[in-house]
Amino acid sequence: MKNFQIIRALSAGSAVTSSGKEASSMYIAGGTNLVDLMKKNVATPDKLIDINAIDLKKIEFLTQKVSIGALAKNSQVAEDKQIKEKYPLLSLALSAGASQQIRHMATVGGNMLQRTRCSYFYNTDMPCNKRVPKSGCGAIGGSNRMHAVFGASDSCIAVHPSDMCIALAALDATVFVEGPKGKREIKFGDFHRLPGNKPEKDNTLEKNELITSVEIPENNFTKNVHYLKVRDRSSYAFALVSVAAGLDIQNNIIKNATIAMGGVAHKPWRLTEAEEYLKGKTVSESTFKHAGDLAMKEAKGYGDNNFKITLGANAIAEALTIAASK
Ligand SMILES: Cc1cc2nc3c(=O)[nH]c(=O)nc-3n(C[C@H](O)[C@H](O)[C@H](O)COP(=O)(O)OP(=O)(O)OC[C@H]3O[C@@H](n4cnc5c(N)ncnc54)[C@H](O)[C@@H]3O)c2cc1C
Ligand code: SF4
């Protein structure tokens, strides 16, 4: 690991100012992803700005929305009584991630910015356009069982690894940030990006911008919701595919639906066509099966991950069936 300096910021403004003073500075929150990346020389900052002392840990229930501070711990959010009542999909998705110990350290902002788990990205002996632009992609034509079936490019087929973000995408969250040019907000669907020819860039944050909070509007997805995570082990494993599903059902008719998938793209993947198809339909097994098939019809495998196309369709149908049964 390279030597680095560490300083502690006491406010968002001072963190942003300190970050701007050093080209290779990085913020550190729980450290559960960044420290691993530093140990493997994938991230090599000269300066770390410890943001843990900044007052950004609160979960505030405001008029028709909740505001969650970027430094709220994953376990704190998952176990909050009102989050469980009003935003149960978020609690379920968070609880499916990592382990209890890691969730105690991991923060909301850090979770959103965790890097892909593509094994070539973590191995500095291998080519990887995301780690070293223009060096090639080991996964295309290589081992790609965990990789994307939607939105990939000739430069990168990696997937975004977070569980929490799949629920935030389904719940139409907004991200609040502060940077050298001031404060701004970013719709969650615009926060993470597809790889295109710039796979080194995971998201639309500008240099030195700090995430300060995430807001979620109130919604009717409070009862018929489910987060289904299909993985190789039942703990400590990232999703092969995951589905965050929310249904608003009245008299057995689906009034509204929200569905997002994880493990299938470089960003949380919202299934808008399947959502539209479901609106107005009667709850039934065949409807949910059709929604799954519809959602996966444009998916493209890269060899080892071809199984995700069938798995994805089945997972969507299963998540919707479980959500409807609650
Ligand atoms: C063994 C293991 C298993 C895991 N399994 C899962 C899983 O199943 N599902 C899942 O979703 N996750 C999983 N994770 C990932 C874990 O959720 C993330 O490591 C964690 O959420 C990152 O949060 P952090 O606060 O520790 O971030 P850090 O490691 O501190 O930071 C991560 C990145 O975010 C940046 N950053 C942090 N906060 C901010 C901010 N406020 N503004 C701007 N930049 C910021 C840092 O500079 C860094 O680039 C696993 C991790 C491990 C180690
Ligand atoms: S898929 Fe992306 S992260 Fe993985 S090796 Fe290719 S460029 Fe790197």
Side-chain angles (χ1 to χ4, degrees):
M1 191 197 270
K2 194 177 117 182
N3 283 343
F4 59 90
Q5 249 193 327
I6 185 159
I7 60 152
R8 175 175 291 191
L10 298 177
S11 69
S14 68
V16 171
T17 305
S18 303
S19 175
K21 287 185 183 153
E22 177 78 57
S24 76
S25 67
M26 290 183 82
Y27 300 123
I28 184 161
T32 60
N33 187 216
L34 182 53
V35 174
D36 281 353
L37 291 165
M38 290 170 67
K39 284 187 196 158
K40 289 178 185 289
N41 287 319
V42 175
T44 53
D46 288 317
K47 183 160 88 176
L48 287 183
I49 298 158
D50 178 352
I51 56 175
N52 287 289
I54 306 175
D55 181 18
L56 293 174
K57 298 186 178 73
K58 291 193 197 83
I59 304 175
E60 294 176 282
F61 292 88
L62 308 168
T63 312
Q64 299 198 321
K65 62 185 178 189
V66 63
S67 168
I68 304 173
L71 289 167
K73 300 290 186 184
N74 286 185
S75 55
Q76 176 194 348
V77 182
E79 287 154 25
D80 185 278
K81 194 166 165 282
Q82 286 194 74
I83 291 283
K84 283 183 169 178
E85 273 168 24
K86 294 183 172 173
Y87 307 93
L89 196 49
L90 177 61
S91 173
L92 290 170
L94 276 164
S95 303
S99 65
Q100 185 71 345
Q101 291 92 332
I102 290 170
R103 293 194 293 271
H104 277 324
M105 288 302 293
T107 63
V108 166
N111 190 315
M112 287 167 53
L113 296 182
Q114 60 174 297
R115 307 300 308 269
T116 184
R117 293 284 157 171
C118 173
S119 56
Y120 297 95
F121 176 72
Y122 281 80
N123 184 343
T124 52
D125 293 330
M126 300 302 281
C128 171
N129 288 323
K130 185 178 280 297
R131 180 171 30 77
V132 181
K134 314 261 182 258
S135 63
C137 170
I140 298 177
S143 173
N144 52 38
R145 184 170 175 272
M146 298 296 289
H147 290 70
V149 293
F150 289 118
S153 73
D154 292 343
S155 300
C156 178
I157 60 171
V159 296
H160 175 72
S162 163
D163 291 296
M164 176 193 79
C165 291
I166 309 309
L168 290 179
L171 295 173
D172 289 320
T174 301
V175 186
F176 288 76
V177 306
E178 184 167 337
K181 295 184 201 151
K183 298 181 183 181
R184 68 183 179 116
E185 50 187 81
I186 309 167
K187 287 196 173 116
F188 204 79
D190 298 331
F191 184 80
H192 295 101
R193 58 184 296 285
L194 291 177
N197 59 8
K198 271 195 181 299
E200 66 275 18
K201 207 162 158 34
D202 292 345
N203 54 61
T204 52
L205 275 183
E206 287 179 12
K207 197 162 165 37
N208 306 321
E209 277 186 325
L210 180 79
I211 302 172
T212 51
S213 66
V214 179
E215 279 186 10
I216 315 174
E218 270 186 13
N219 56 68
N220 288 334
F221 303 116
T222 50
K223 179 172 177 277
N224 296 114
V225 299
H226 191 61
Y227 185 75
L228 180 70
K229 180 173 178 180
V230 185
R231 48 186 155 174
D232 286 328
R233 293 184 306 270
S234 59
S235 176
Y236 255 166
F238 290 86
L240 288 165
V241 303
S242 68
V243 182
L247 296 170
D248 177 9
I249 301 173
Q250 288 166 34
N251 301 323
N252 215 32
I253 303 290
I254 300 162
K255 294 285 174 201
N256 200 3
T258 186
I259 323 171
M261 275 186 106
V264 292
H266 199 258
K267 61 186 285 186
W269 197 251
R270 189 80 183 255
L271 308 183
T272 44
E273 196 180 345
E275 290 172 4
E276 282 307 312
Y277 162 75
L278 286 169
K279 284 182 198 165
K281 299 277 185 317
T282 304
V283 170
S284 80
E285 196 182 320
S286 61
T287 298
F288 293 152
K289 181 170 181 334
H290 186 72
D293 292 341
L294 193 63
M296 298 306 291
K297 74 176 187 316
E298 307 287 346
K300 178 187 166 214
Y302 286 85
D304 296 346
N305 70 346
N306 290 350
F307 72 97
K308 284 193 180 186
I309 300 172
T310 309
L311 181 66
N314 290 339
I316 294 163
E318 176 80 359
L320 290 167
T321 304
I322 297 173
S325 71
K326 288 186 177 172

